[in-house]
Amino acid sequence: MEARAGDADHQALKVWLRLLACTTQIETEIRRRLRKEFGMTLARFDYLAQLHRHPEGLRMSALSRYLMVTGGNVTALTDDLEQEGLVLRETDAEDRRSFKVTLTPAGRKAFEKVAQVHEGWVVELLAGLGIDQKHELHELLGKLRLHLSQASQENP
């Protein structure tokens, strides 16, 4: 996609295409490595990561929002992970119509093992940038994200 933007194109379009190309390349490589090394999908990794960030557990509806997937996708993942003993699904004490999902001790241990390897892959994939460049890129992307958030609030 990046090759389609010519010198005469607007700079914003070129930046967007470069961001998209980099994101796609990194995500494709992470997906490939997760599948090869752990037999795991990126969706499963992201699901476990959300539960790891929320040790108190999450309602399935919140998981769906955080992962930006349908409730059906979350239910299918929950079914599989529960059967494997990695998550526990219980009726939410605050809302008996909802289910809350938490990592089991085995799920936490399994995720942390994969997460450590995953972090190494990300470090490796971004090794082409120096530490100062990573700081600068992080800062610039933060400014862009803030602008996008403000724009979406102004134009719902």
Side-chain angles (χ1 to χ4, degrees), residues 9-77:
D9 289 343
H10 192 270
Q11 190 64 31
L13 179 61
K14 291 165 77 173
V15 169
W16 177 70
L17 290 172
R18 176 82 40 99
L19 280 170
L20 184 59
C22 288
T23 299
T24 300
Q25 282 184 276
I26 292 168
E27 185 176 318
T28 298
E29 184 60 16
I30 294 293
R31 283 180 191 278
R32 185 189 71 75
R33 291 181 186 195
L34 280 170
R35 172 93 46 214
K36 181 181 176 192
E37 298 294 321
F38 298 102
M40 178 181 281
T41 64
L42 185 57
R44 180 178 280 224
F45 178 85
D46 290 342
Y47 177 109
L48 294 171
Q50 285 299 328
L51 290 180
H52 191 266
R53 284 186 200 102
H54 298 91
E56 71 285 0
L58 288 170
R59 286 185 181 156
M60 289 180 64
S61 58
L63 261 172
S64 180
R65 269 193 325 276
Y66 288 149
L67 297 170
M68 296 183 282
V69 298
T70 66
N73 288 356
V74 168
T75 299
L77 274 170

Side-chain angles (χ1 to χ4, degrees), residues 122-136:
V122 173
V123 169
E124 175 192 335
L125 291 168
L126 297 180
L129 298 175
I131 188 70
D132 290 341
Q133 292 169 317
K134 288 175 195 157
H135 283 297
E136 182 178 7

Side-chain angles (χ1 to χ4, degrees), residues 112-123:
E112 288 172 354
K113 177 183 172 189
V114 177
Q116 184 177 12
V117 174
H118 174 274
E119 182 178 351
W121 294 338
V122 173
V123 169

